[in-house]
């Protein structure tokens, strides 16, 4: 009789332990730590930004400082959440690494010229659009390439791994040879070294390259729409709401227009 009770007790304890484990696992998958609360508790916003994209996020090799439109947006978000724009840590991301870094918890948010797409919406949540761009081509002045129609089996087009630009150019110019690089500066360096005939990505990024070297120019106009959004780990509706509130406030106050004109040299349309 005692042995039977002992077995029953052990069985009940095992079942109870299993139930507790299942509940914990369920909480871990659907109730992960709220990112906004984690930022407030930590006292610091960790933003994933580009270090190689002039006008948006470019690191000065002399000072180590990263500057650009995306950087100023990150500062504004830190100020909204924590009351101080300096309570911000920047981490370098590339088009290839940024989603994994977000999902792994290495960063709180991606602010890095990231186009909103249906495919990406399955992996992350996006803020409202904060910048409207379009894909174009950058070539050396005097190049025979004048647009998409000039790209053929004899042309090499440079782009960046993990970007929508790489997908788009394969669809728009299926005969051209496509070479992918880790980041935009590597791709631009390769273009200037004669390793390709054109470089393609968003016009906003290409404009930054043109400012770096006026021997290059944009041709053919835009052949896609590239709406940028800030990306947040799924399951954080309050964080998304906070970011959208910031964008609305900045546009209503004129701060957004000021930053846009400061970095792009023109007023937003």
């Amino acid at each position: 009789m005692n042995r039977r009770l002992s077995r029953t007790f052990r069985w009940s304890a095992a079942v109870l332990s299993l139930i507790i484990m299942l509940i914990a696992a369920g909480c871990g998958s659907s109730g992960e730590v709220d990112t906004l609360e984690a930022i407030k508790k930590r006292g610091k916003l960790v933003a994933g930004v580009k270090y190689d994209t002039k006008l948006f996020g470019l690191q000065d090799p002399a000072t180590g400082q990263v500057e650009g439109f995306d950087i100023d947006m990150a500062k504004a978000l830190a100020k909204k959440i924590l009351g101080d724009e300096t309570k911000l840590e920047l981490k370098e991301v590339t088009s290839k690494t940024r989603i994994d870094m977000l999902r792994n918890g290495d960063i709180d948010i991606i602010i890095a010229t990231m186009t909103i797409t249906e495919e990406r919406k399955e992996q992350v949540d996006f803020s409202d659009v904060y910048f409207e761009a379009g894909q174009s081509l950058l070539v050396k002045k005097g190049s025979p390439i004048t647009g998409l129609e000039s790209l053929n089996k004899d042309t090499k087009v440079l782009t960046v791994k993990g970007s929508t630009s790489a997908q788009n150019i394969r669809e728009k110019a299926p005969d051209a040879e496509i070479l992918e690089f880790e980041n935009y500066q590597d791709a631009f360096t390769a273009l200037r070294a004669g390793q390709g005939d054109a470089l393609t990505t968003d016009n906003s990024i290409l404009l930054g390259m043109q400012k770096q070297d006026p021997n290059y120019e944009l041709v053919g106009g835009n052949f896609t729409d590239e709406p940028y959004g800030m990306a947040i780990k799924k399951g954080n509706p309050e964080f998304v709401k906070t970011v959208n509130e910031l964008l609305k406030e900045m546009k209503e106050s004129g701060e957004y227009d000021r930053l846009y004109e400061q970095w792009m040299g023109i007023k937003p349309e």
Side-chain angles (χ1 to χ4, degrees):
M1 184 70 176
N2 288 338
R3 286 197 299 272
R4 187 179 302 166
L5 285 172
S6 178
R7 285 198 301 272
T8 301
F9 177 79
R10 289 199 300 271
W11 181 83
S12 300
V15 170
L16 181 61
S17 296
L18 179 61
I19 291 172
I20 292 171
M21 288 172 63
L22 290 172
I23 292 172
C27 290
S29 61
S30 60
E32 296 179 350
V33 176
D34 180 85
T35 303
L36 188 58
E37 289 305 310
I39 292 166
K40 292 176 181 178
K41 186 174 181 180
R42 187 195 308 131
K44 178 174 65 177
L45 170 69
V46 182
V49 300
K50 297 282 184 67
Y51 277 33
D52 68 333
T53 308
K54 191 173 178 65
L55 305 184
F56 286 87
L58 185 67
Q59 186 175 43
D60 185 328
T63 65
Q65 294 297 308
V66 188
E67 297 180 331
F69 183 77
D70 282 347
I71 310 306
D72 284 348
M73 295 300 288
K75 289 178 180 178
L77 182 59
K79 185 174 182 179
K80 178 172 178 62
I81 297 172
L82 301 167
D84 185 346
E85 69 172 30
T86 67
K87 292 184 176 180
L88 171 68
E89 178 181 347
L90 302 176
K91 284 193 177 182
E92 182 179 11
V93 300
T94 67
S95 297
K96 183 179 177 181
T97 65
R98 56 192 172 190
I99 289 180
D100 284 342
M101 288 179 68
L102 180 68
R103 296 173 78 179
N104 291 339
D106 298 323
I107 54 178
D108 300 318
I109 189 168
I110 300 170
I111 311 177
T113 64
M114 189 171 182
T115 302
I116 300 170
T117 68
E118 292 304 315
E119 181 182 359
R120 287 172 177 166
K121 284 180 181 179
E122 295 178 4
Q123 303 177 75
V124 300
D125 287 334
F126 281 103
S127 69
D128 292 339
V129 176
Y130 77 95
F131 194 95
E132 293 279 3
Q135 190 169 341
S136 189
L137 297 170
L138 183 74
V139 301
K140 192 168 186 177
K141 286 183 177 178
S143 168
I145 295 174
T146 57
L148 280 175
E149 68 285 349
S150 303
L151 304 180
N152 54 49
K153 61 182 180 62
D154 297 319
T155 52
K156 292 182 180 179
V157 183
L158 314 180
T159 189
V160 172
K161 294 177 182 177
S163 65
T164 54
S165 302
Q167 299 172 21
N168 292 337
I169 197 63
R170 284 192 166 89
E171 295 172 3
K172 304 287 186 181
D175 295 331
E177 182 179 352
I178 311 300
L179 302 179
E180 296 183 60
F181 294 81
E182 291 296 329
N183 58 59
Y184 294 112
Q185 282 303 306
D186 286 351
F188 190 35
T189 298
L191 179 68
R192 296 164 81 180
Q195 295 177 30
D197 304 294
L199 193 159
T200 187
T201 186
D202 302 343
N203 62 335
S204 51
I205 298 172
L206 296 178
L207 283 169
M209 296 176 183
Q210 182 180 308
K211 285 191 175 184
Q212 284 181 262
D213 190 337
N215 291 311
Y216 291 81
E217 64 181 353
L218 277 68
V219 296
N222 297 341
F223 52 87
T224 67
D225 293 320
E226 305 292 334
Y228 293 169
M230 300 184 195
I232 294 164
K233 194 173 184 179
K234 279 192 168 294
N236 287 278
E238 285 303 312
F239 193 13
V240 175
K241 180 182 176 183
T242 297
V243 175
N244 289 339
E245 285 175 353
L246 171 69
L247 295 176
K248 185 173 183 289
E249 290 163 3
M250 291 181 72
K251 289 180 179 178
E252 289 178 347
S253 70
E255 179 66 7
Y256 178 89
D257 287 6
R258 185 189 69 77
L259 289 176
Y260 191 107
E261 189 170 4
Q262 174 188 331
W263 289 107
M264 305 304 143
I266 56 174
K267 292 183 179 181
E269 296 181 358

